[in-house]
Structures are given as structure tokens and as C-alpha cells.
Amino acid sequence: WWPFILTILFAGMALAEPSAEWQERSRIAKNLDIGESAPDWLVNSETYAFGTNDWNALAESKVAFITHCPVNREYFARCHALGIRCFPYVTFYQGFASMTYEGVNLKDHPEFIEVNENGDLTRTGFWTSEDAKNMYTTCPNVQAYQDAMVEWVRKILEMGADGVFVDNLSSRAPCFGPKFGKHEHVYEDQNHAFAMLLKRVREVIKEVRPEGAVLGNSANPPTLPAEFWKYLDAEMLESYICTWVSTDRWFDWTTHWNQAGKDLQPYVKAGKQIQALSYLGHTPYGIREDAFFCYASARLAGFVWSGGSLSNPEMADLYRMRLGTPLSDELEENTVHYRVFERGMVVVNPDKEK
């Protein structure tokens, strides 16, 4: 019975009245027309994990949540016992026609597939680049498809998940299903249809887990369709500073990454968390140097950060500490950027020569 009891107790933490801080952030969000603030625990998160089952490292860490975790009742209960929330991966962009995925096999539901201007079923954008054969782009504007995805999310929640990580967010292409008699649409616009799917998903999450959340990934938050923000609690900034496609820290730190942190402050102050994800081990500076540089850059902007294995001694310390409440915004002196927190500070020198 203990996993069941732990899950109930963990969910029950949400019964308290919303904090004054949450209400103020939500007021800002309402003024920006981007919904409401994420829960306090997510806004105050500093680091997170990415699909791990290293239980010793998790127990030693102070990560607030895990994404890309297995859909498994015992896994959820074990993480909850450590005070860590769980967000399994989902996508509403694509599905398989060769197997059941997220409760659906597209072979049995061709009416769920997006239709292009020629009347053909639309292949996933990863068909060639990632050899994702028998994967097709799904149409969010089909009522039965929306119902199936909401039901899948409810199933995950009833097993103990705290929400979902929704991948592949971007502006949706036109679908010509009605024109060719393949299916009917609920709404006139594909982006609005997808936003309404996100809305339904968030509603069922809040019904089952009042402190739950919807985490999204467009990889580049400034490109996210405006209506999507209303139904997300967090958005991912992927390949943050370090990535597998570059042997150096890509883009200029000052004009790109630091500027992105400043440009996203209206969303951060409205309680929308930004998940910075760095792919380490591809530059000549070494994992530890890159990890601390990326972490400190993220914390300057108030982003939550992840960069790989929790047990890697090169970066494990970053997951095992909490800086606490920020006592200042980002400050700059002699081209060095820093921010003061309750239990420490982060300092970034972007000049590689000094």
C-alpha cells in the first residue's frame, strides 16, 4: 500500500491556498494574455533531470523534477518518496502506423493523420532525418484524436505522473483532410486546434494533480505560437549554449544567449518557467567547464537547468545544491555578469580571452 499512500500524500500538498507570489505572477500573466503562473515549486526549481533511473544520484540530488521518465507506477512512487516530480514524454505532433503508441496505432486510425495539399497522408518531419519510417504527422483538429490524447494523459496521471512533457511544439501546417474527405475539423485554424488540445490536457492535469504542470518543448521559446503559452507552465530552450551539432559553444553569448535570457524575462516574471537543456561533451573546454558556464548562465536569467548525468563527477555538484531565493536581478560590472541568491551567487565571464 505504501506507493499508493505516498502518491496521495504528494498530490495532497496542493490543497493549500495559492500563495501571494503565485497570485502576483498570475496577475502579470493575465495582463500578457498568457494564462496563469506555473506552480510555486516549478517557478522555484533550479535543476531537473532528464530520463534517469540512477537512484543513488537522484537521492543525493536536489532536482525538482524528471522529464522523459518511464510510464511506471512504481517509478513515480519512488521518485515521489524523494520529493521529485515526474513528467513522461508525449508528442501530439506524430504517431506510429506500425505499433501502438500513446494508446493509438495510426494503422487503425488513418483519419487521425494530417493530409497535405495533394491529398496524401503527411509523413513526420523525422521520416528521413531520423529514419522514422511508418511515423506520420497527426492532425490536432480531429475530435477523436484529441479525445484519445486526453485519455492517454489521464491514464498517465492515474498511475501517478505529475503532468507531461510535450515535445515537438511549433506552428502547425495546414491540413486538407476535409477537402479530400479524410476527416472533419473542429476548428478553422490548426494552431488554435492545437492550443485547444493543450488546454484540454492542462485541464485534466489540474483536475487530477492540482500542483501538476504541462512542460513544453519548441526548442526556441520566442518562436512558440502565442496562444500555446496560455496552456504551458514551462517551455524548453534546447541546445542551450552547448550542443552536439557544434564543437564550440554556439552563437555569441552576449547577443544570443544572454539576450534571450533578458528577452524572456516578461514570461519568467509571469511565472512561465524556462527549461534550459545543454548537451555537454562536444567542446574543447571539458564537461565541467561547460557545465558550470551553462548552469551559471541559466541561473542569471532564472531558468531551470539540466545538462546530463546526475552522477557524473564533473557536474554532480550542480545538481546537489540549491542557491535559494534570488536577492537581485542580473547585474553587470566590468563586462562580468552576476546574480546574488540567498545561499550564494553565480558569476559569468563571457570573454574567452580573460
Side-chain angles (χ1 to χ4, degrees):
W1 290 97
W2 67 269
F4 176 76
I5 293 171
L6 281 172
T7 300
I8 294 300
L9 288 174
F10 202 81
M13 293 166 59
L15 299 178
E17 192 73 19
S19 68
E21 293 79 8
W22 182 90
Q23 293 181 56
E24 174 58 18
R25 293 192 306 266
S26 291
R27 183 191 65 79
I28 297 171
K30 183 178 180 180
N31 288 340
L32 294 175
D33 195 24
I34 55 172
E36 65 182 18
S37 170
D40 288 340
W41 70 263
L42 180 53
V43 170
N44 296 328
S45 299
E46 299 185 17
T47 55
Y48 68 99
F50 187 93
T52 183
N53 59 357
D54 187 332
W55 294 108
N56 288 333
L58 279 171
E60 293 174 351
S61 80
K62 289 182 171 62
V63 298
F65 60 95
I66 302 175
T67 66
H68 297 69
C69 55
V71 179
N72 181 283
R73 190 182 303 274
E74 292 184 1
Y75 185 96
F76 298 150
R78 197 168 178 181
C79 286
H80 289 169
L82 295 173
I84 298 171
R85 290 174 165 88
C86 299
F87 295 84
Y89 176 103
V90 299
T91 177
F92 306 138
Y93 162 72
Q94 60 191 357
F96 286 90
S98 58
M99 59 182 282
T100 298
Y101 182 68
E102 297 180 352
V104 170
N105 188 327
L106 293 177
K107 175 176 65 67
D108 302 322
H109 293 282
E111 73 277 12
F112 290 176
I113 302 175
E114 182 181 284
V115 178
N116 66 23
E117 65 272 18
N118 298 318
D120 300 321
L121 301 179
T122 304
R123 295 175 174 181
T124 173
F126 303 106
W127 186 282
T128 301
S129 64
E130 297 186 10
D131 197 29
K133 301 300 186 288
N134 288 314
M135 289 195 79
Y136 292 86
T137 303
T138 49
C139 178
N141 214 346
V142 175
Q143 183 69 54
Y145 174 72
Q146 284 205 11
D147 294 344
M149 293 301 97
V150 172
E151 184 58 31
W152 175 249
V153 171
R154 181 180 290 277
K155 179 179 180 180
I156 292 173
L157 294 168
E158 290 175 347
M159 294 178 70
D162 298 285
V164 289
F165 174 89
V166 186
D167 201 10
N168 310 126
L169 298 183
S170 65
S171 187
R172 299 298 304 233
C175 174
F176 298 86
K179 176 181 177 180
F180 291 97
K182 300 295 181 69
H183 57 237
E184 295 300 320
H185 284 169
V186 184
Y187 304 100
E188 292 295 323
D189 179 75
Q190 291 296 96
N191 275 352
H192 180 64
F194 194 89
M196 291 301 96
L197 173 54
L198 289 177
K199 179 177 186 287
R200 293 183 63 192
V201 165
R202 193 170 192 275
E203 285 173 348
V204 74
I205 288 171
K206 290 299 184 180
E207 174 191 333
V208 180
R209 296 275 182 274
E211 284 285 277
V214 181
L215 315 181
N217 181 24
S218 71
N220 186 17
T223 68
L224 187 75
E227 193 176 5
F228 295 4
W229 279 107
K230 293 181 182 181
Y231 311 113
L232 297 177
D233 296 284
E235 236 283 76
M236 178 170 280
L237 187 55
E238 194 170 1
S239 288
Y240 182 71
I241 302 176
C242 292
T243 179
W244 74 91
V245 300
S246 175
T247 57
D248 204 344
R249 296 170 184 167
W250 69 339
F251 300 120
D252 179 77
W253 185 87
T254 301
T255 60
H256 187 85
W257 298 113
N258 186 245
Q259 189 60 48
K262 292 174 179 176
D263 291 345
L264 288 166
Q265 284 310 296
Y267 296 93
V268 172
K269 293 185 184 303
K272 302 295 184 178
Q273 181 59 276
I274 305 297
Q275 295 174 243
L277 177 62
S278 304
Y279 296 103
L280 306 176
H282 305 282
T283 78
Y285 310 111
I287 289 178
R288 185 172 181 83
E289 187 73 19
D290 279 340
F292 276 72
F293 188 81
C294 293
Y295 167 86
S297 297
R299 297 305 300 142
L300 278 178
F303 299 166
V304 61
W305 180 82
S306 184
S309 171
L310 273 61
S311 59
N312 186 327
E314 297 293 312
M315 67 180 91
D317 290 342
L318 296 174
Y319 296 113
R320 295 171 182 168
M321 66 180 182
R322 282 189 58 84
L323 294 172
T325 304
L327 303 181
S328 75
D329 290 329
E330 178 183 343
L331 302 170
E332 182 181 354
E333 186 172 340
N334 297 324
T335 73
V336 172
H337 300 250
Y338 66 98
R339 190 175 191 183
V340 181
F341 293 83
E342 180 184 9
R343 291 187 288 274
M345 65 188 300
V346 293
V347 182
V348 176
N349 175 15
D351 192 332
K352 297 179 182 178
E353 305 301 323
K354 296 180 181 179

